[in-house]
Amino acid sequence: MSLTTRRSRLAASALAAITAVGGLAACGNDDEPAAGEKPSKLIVDTFGEFGYEELIKQYEKDTGIKIELRKTAQLGEYRPKLVRYLATGKGAGDVIALEEGILNEFKSNPRNWVDLAPLTDDHSEDYLPWKWELGKAPDGRLMGLPTDVGSLAVCYRKDLFEAAGLPTERDEVSALWPDWDSFLETGRAYKEGSGGKALIDSITAVSDASLFQQGDDLFYDKENNIIAETSPAVKAAWDTAISMVDISAKAATWSQEWSAGFKQGSFAATFCPSWMLGIVAENSGEANKGKWDVAAVPGGGGNWGGSWLAVPEQSAYHEEAAKLAEFLTNATSQVEAFKAKGPLPTHLEALQDEAFLSYTNEYFSGAPTGKIFGESVSKIEPIHLGPKHQAVKENAFGLALRAYENGQASEDEAWQQFVKDAEIQGAF
């Protein structure tokens, strides 16, 4: 049996199984509504930092509805929860954030998700056109309202750069690395000037940044066949990441070592899509405020991440949940979320808002993050990710790179491990 045939049969089986439980009436919100009753509480499930804390307080004040924000730190822990919620027909929040790497996976059974179009105003002209279109399921229903995109930059420690004898001003730092070869040379210079310290957190962070600069198909082709072994974009990102092992602190993103490394100065730079700003600040703490700054990413722009807000069918409050999702994704809310934690707006009005364009981030040395990230939005183009992109990236590509980085496998052994695991993780 060919892999494509096997994948098709697995997809049919999985779809049938989820469809069978998709009609369950159980819901994530414990309150059982009477007909037409306004909910006393709505639950919002997110991962990372979306900047919704103050917005939720405002919504509670305006509507009298209590909002419970359930945050999961890591996307790798968040996805299995959603899979379990859908498989069992219970446990999900009323509003759910869906990251770009898992959106297509859940599009395979759109019946699990409420069509938001009849429950909200027509916003089809309000967002980046490609972002809006990606929020639609194959059957045409509006499955998610756009939140953010992940325009790329580099966050770096000015004090550590200065101690190593490197420039510290953001324009000068950006000029150090117009391409990835220059970034590697800068890493070597930093290592020499700092007495052997690492410039970057991990080579998987490098792979995440460079992978999304490649364009074209990544782990899947347009027909959703796995092409991990032959994809030029994947191989280019792999080679770039492998080359950086000598300037890496070997602290995998989201690990305890990584979180602690921000305060300890274990590395002096990390790759920052806009949504990462709040995470860097949170991990670094108040003592490091003003020590960080933001520079350009090697090799030009790119988009790493971005999400949508969806309402699962199992929610008992479709209409009210849709209104909440609409509120959290409107222009004003997107600007406020950006100012709070960094998620880059996709609402066209928000992208033209002076409060966004003129915003400077005090934590990052007053960097004009509205201008830095806002100017790159028009250059972002969608990339075809495939149905299990996130699983392949995390559990095959990332694991193999970490095996090489940690000395557990040679480069060839790590590549063969990736190819084998990609077929398993990507089967759908």
Side-chain angles (χ1 to χ4, degrees), residues 260-283:
F262 286 97
K263 288 182 179 178
Q264 297 168 353
S266 303
F267 45 87
T270 188
F271 296 96
C272 278
S274 182
W275 51 263
M276 185 70 84
L277 296 178
I279 295 169
V280 171
E282 184 134 338
N283 282 323

Side-chain angles (χ1 to χ4, degrees), residues 51-379:
Y52 286 163
E53 286 79 1
E54 294 303 316
L55 290 170
I56 280 174
K57 292 178 183 178
Q58 183 62 49
Y59 195 80
E60 289 177 331
K61 181 179 178 182
D62 292 344
T63 65
I65 301 173
K66 175 69 176 176
I67 307 298
E68 179 184 347
L69 180 59
R70 300 193 305 200
K71 296 198 299 183
T72 301
Q74 299 184 27
L75 184 61
E77 296 175 356
Y78 182 73
R79 177 188 166 275
K81 292 181 182 179
L82 300 189
V83 171
R84 184 170 65 251
Y85 295 154
L86 295 180
T88 62
K90 61 182 180 180
D94 300 286
V95 177
I96 293 179
L98 296 180
E99 192 265 350
E100 64 173 7
I102 59 177
L103 177 69
N104 283 345
E105 180 177 359
F106 292 128
K107 281 182 179 180
S108 65
N109 188 13
R111 289 176 56 189
N112 281 321
W113 306 95
V114 173
D115 185 1
L116 298 175
L119 303 178
T120 60
D121 292 335
D122 181 6
H123 297 291
S124 57
E125 303 296 322
D126 294 342
Y127 297 86
L128 295 170
W130 64 265
K131 182 77 176 182
W132 176 262
E133 289 302 316
L134 285 176
K136 295 180 180 178
D139 65 357
R141 77 180 63 197
L142 182 61
M143 189 169 134
L145 294 175
T147 60
D148 63 311
V149 288
S151 183
L152 283 168
V154 176
C155 293
Y156 69 97
R157 282 276 296 268
K158 294 195 303 180
D159 58 329
L160 298 181
F161 269 47
E162 183 177 19
L166 295 179
T168 61
E169 295 304 313
R170 64 183 68 96
D171 289 343
E172 294 178 325
V173 172
S174 297
L176 289 174
W177 50 59
D179 52 39
W180 287 103
D181 288 340
S182 301
F183 187 83
L184 178 58
E185 290 305 311
T186 302
R188 290 170 174 163
Y190 176 81
K191 188 172 182 179
E192 181 177 354
S194 64
K197 293 183 179 179
L199 175 65
I200 57 170
D201 40 358
S202 70
I203 65 171
T204 50
V206 174
S207 71
D208 281 335
S210 58
L211 183 67
F212 291 108
Q213 290 181 321
Q214 304 302 323
D216 207 5
D217 299 329
L218 300 181
F219 301 121
Y220 293 84
D221 64 18
K222 297 296 190 301
E223 287 71 44
N224 287 333
N225 298 302
I226 287 285
I227 58 167
E229 184 175 11
T230 58
S231 167
V234 170
K235 188 60 166 61
W238 175 275
D239 290 342
T240 299
I242 289 290
S243 73
M244 304 286 173
V245 69
D246 289 336
I247 63 169
S248 167
K250 301 177 176 59
T253 308
W254 312 120
S255 68
Q256 291 183 350
E257 294 80 8
W258 182 77
S259 297
F262 286 97
K263 288 182 179 178
Q264 297 168 353
S266 303
F267 45 87
T270 188
F271 296 96
C272 278
S274 182
W275 51 263
M276 185 70 84
L277 296 178
I279 295 169
V280 171
E282 184 134 338
N283 282 323
S284 299
E286 191 65 22
N288 287 313
K289 181 177 180 180
K291 296 180 181 179
W292 286 93
D293 209 327
V294 182
V297 70
N303 179 49
W304 170 11
S307 300
W308 290 256
L309 293 186
V311 175
E313 188 67 35
Q314 64 184 254
S315 168
Y317 300 103
H318 294 181
E319 185 173 354
E320 291 294 343
K323 289 178 181 178
L324 175 56
E326 189 174 27
F327 166 78
L328 291 172
T329 55
N330 70 30
T332 301
S333 293
Q334 287 200 359
V335 172
E336 292 305 310
F338 172 78
K339 290 161 64 177
K341 295 295 183 179
L344 184 61
T346 55
H347 197 293
L348 298 177
E349 183 181 329
L351 289 169
Q352 297 301 316
D353 192 319
E354 184 60 27
F356 164 71
L357 293 171
S358 63
Y359 180 72
T360 57
N361 193 311
E362 289 186 14
Y363 193 92
F364 290 86
S365 304
T369 50
K371 181 175 184 293
I372 290 171
F373 289 107
E375 288 180 347
S376 66
V377 171
S378 62
K379 302 174 185 177

Side-chain angles (χ1 to χ4, degrees), residues 28-30 41-45 66-68 70 92-95:
N29 197 324
D30 292 335
K41 183 179 76 172
L42 293 172
I43 298 171
V44 179
D45 285 331
K66 175 69 176 176
I67 307 298
E68 179 184 347
R70 300 193 305 200
D94 300 286
V95 177

